[in-house]
Amino acid sequence: MQWVEGLLWLDGPRPHGTLNHLLTVGLIPLALLGQAWGPLFGSMFALPLRGRRLLLFLVLSAGLLFVTLARIAYHPMFTQVTPGGHLNWWSPRNPPVYAAWAYFLWALVIGAPFLLWWRPFWQGLVIVSWGWLWATVGYLISDSAASYWCFFVTFYAAFVLIYAFMVKDSPTPPPPPPGPPADPPLQRGG
């Protein structure tokens, strides 16, 4: 999302520019889906999909449904600069108005993979709480809470990347070969 917002700032963003329109209508929805789907797809590298397909599919669908319904309901065609200097890519009204329940639901969709599958659970809660803290701050003090929040949500990736370099992976033992168990090794001497 930060890349898309950066491109918008390079454009001005001009209120009715072609680049502004293409980014608002095309790339912003994809970036939002990336926020919801990135942790889901990332979890498939750490945990087998078997046994959690339905739940993964439900969270995947919730992200898609949320972005699609928001685009249909608000139908923004251009990104605008709010009076507070943030980007409003959410709604034609400027500054945008956010329903608290929808904002909370989006935070839950983004945090769901961490809460469902990150172990130990307390670490997933720490990761999610960082985003939720800034979501709340953005909602309370910004005139474009979604744009304000996206900046801080970027730190999810930074936090997880730093954590990945701090923790050693424990090697998983190879599975036993199929067939009857092997005889114990012979011992020499006696």
Side-chain angles (χ1 to χ4, degrees), residues 57-129:
F57 178 74
L58 289 174
V59 176
L60 190 77
S61 299
L64 179 61
L65 183 66
F66 192 93
V67 170
T68 303
L69 290 177
R71 296 295 306 167
I72 291 170
Y74 292 103
H75 197 60
M77 299 303 287
F78 295 95
T79 296
Q80 309 166 56
V81 178
T82 67
H86 298 287
L87 291 178
N88 169 17
W89 37 260
W90 177 261
S91 123
R93 290 183 56 194
N94 200 21
V97 177
Y98 299 95
W101 65 267
Y103 197 70
F104 172 77
L105 181 63
W106 184 243
L108 192 60
V109 166
I110 291 174
F114 294 100
L115 297 176
L116 292 170
W117 298 301
W118 188 287
R119 296 298 174 260
F121 178 77
W122 70 268
Q123 290 175 354
L125 191 58
V126 167
I127 293 169
V128 171
S129 295

Side-chain angles (χ1 to χ4, degrees), residues 12 14 21-22 43 48 55 58 71 73 75-76 91 102 113 115 120 127 129 137 143-144 152 155 158-159 167 180 185:
R14 286 186 282 150
H21 178 70
L22 291 173
S43 75
L55 194 52
L58 289 174
R71 296 295 306 167
H75 197 60
S91 123
L115 297 176
I127 293 169
S129 295
V137 169
D143 63 349
S144 184
F152 289 101
F155 288 99
F159 181 87
V167 176

Side-chain angles (χ1 to χ4, degrees), residues 11 14 50 55 60 73 81 112 119 127 132-133 135 138 140 154 162 167 179 183:
D11 182 49
R14 286 186 282 150
R50 183 181 45 243
L55 194 52
L60 190 77
V81 178
R119 296 298 174 260
I127 293 169
W132 288 351
L133 167 71
L140 295 175
T154 302
I162 291 167
V167 176
D183 292 331

